[in-house]
Amino acid sequence: MQADDVGRVFRQSGQDLIAVSEASCMIFPSERIAITGPSGSGKSTLLHIFAGLDQPTSGTIIWPALGSPGNLRPTQIGVALQAPGLLPPLTVVENVSLPLLLGNVNPEQAETAALHILQELELEDLADQLPEELSGGQAQRVALARAVVTRPRLILADEPTGQLDHPTAQRFFDLLFALLVGSDTALVIATHDVSIAERFTCVWKIRQGVLTRPKDFA
Ligand SMILES: Nc1ncnc2c1ncn2[C@@H]1O[C@H](COP(=O)(O)OP(=O)(O)OP(=O)(O)O)[C@@H](O)[C@H]1O
Ligand SMILES: [Mg+2]
């Protein structure tokens, strides 16, 4: 993914609000990037643009290794939004199967793969539960399982452990990193949690919509 001078302005109560200002960056295969910044600094806005879910109001974004915006999701880019967005009538395993079904995998294989991912992330006990029966932290982890089930090339996760206690959050990242060992999948998360961010090889900071990356820190 390559972003050049990407900006996103929202119109709020008749005024322009600059959520992201001239962000330029690239995400390469296998990278582990944590985007940190205070509430309202533009983390979610940036991740939505990286996912192709929102369009920048200025600048350009391309996904040279992944294809055109029309076929990025659900197979090439896995997204776990800040609000988990599980479908209420479907069980956990059905929710996690969904991206595979949309990618034309047959239902039996999709369920097997979904159960496998749930096991890898130690969520298998939740498989038959409905979203309304989950805690907020469980729902977020299930949403992350749904984002990785297609083995996408790029995973974007917005505060995936924001509702978890520290030990559970750390354990979850142990499992997620283990799941990705040996793959060239890039993982980009937004987080407030310094102890999570320091486990990532790159930490990007965003303040009031201005993105700075390590080479800019000096
Ligand atoms: N759809 C929208 N319409 C109008 N303004 C928006 C919209 N989405 C975000 N904003 C504004 O853009 C700014 C950045 O919001 P964003 O959600 O990206 O922040 P964030 O860093 O993810 O915050 P948090 O840590 O609380 O999740 C905020 O001032 C927010 O009010
Ligand atoms: Mg956010």
Side-chain angles (χ1 to χ4, degrees), residues 1 32 35 49 52 62 71 84 101 104 109 121 141 149 161 174 196 202 212:
M1 187 228 72
R32 304 275 176 268
I35 302 175
I49 291 171
I62 52 171
N71 61 18
L101 297 174
N104 287 327
Q109 281 179 327
L121 296 175
R141 280 175 288 164
V149 74
T161 56
D174 291 343
I196 295 291
C202 304
T212 46

Side-chain angles (χ1 to χ4, degrees), residues 84-129:
L86 301 175
L87 298 188
L90 303 185
T91 64
V92 162
V93 69
E94 288 167 345
N95 265 285
V96 175
S97 303
L98 210 52
L100 293 168
L101 297 174
L102 293 173
N104 287 327
V105 173
N106 82 50
E108 221 166 277
Q109 281 179 327
E111 184 176 317
T112 304
L115 282 171
H116 178 71
I117 289 289
L118 288 169
Q119 270 159 10
E120 297 280 319
L121 296 175
E122 296 181 346
L123 298 168
E124 68 273 20
D125 291 349
L126 306 177
D128 296 324
Q129 289 184 217

Side-chain angles (χ1 to χ4, degrees), residues 44-72:
S44 296
T45 305
L46 201 55
L47 284 184
H48 293 172
I49 291 171
F50 289 172
L53 290 167
D54 187 19
Q55 276 75 51
T57 41
S58 58
T60 55
I61 179 152
I62 52 171
W63 297 265
L66 305 183
S68 61
N71 61 18
L72 296 177

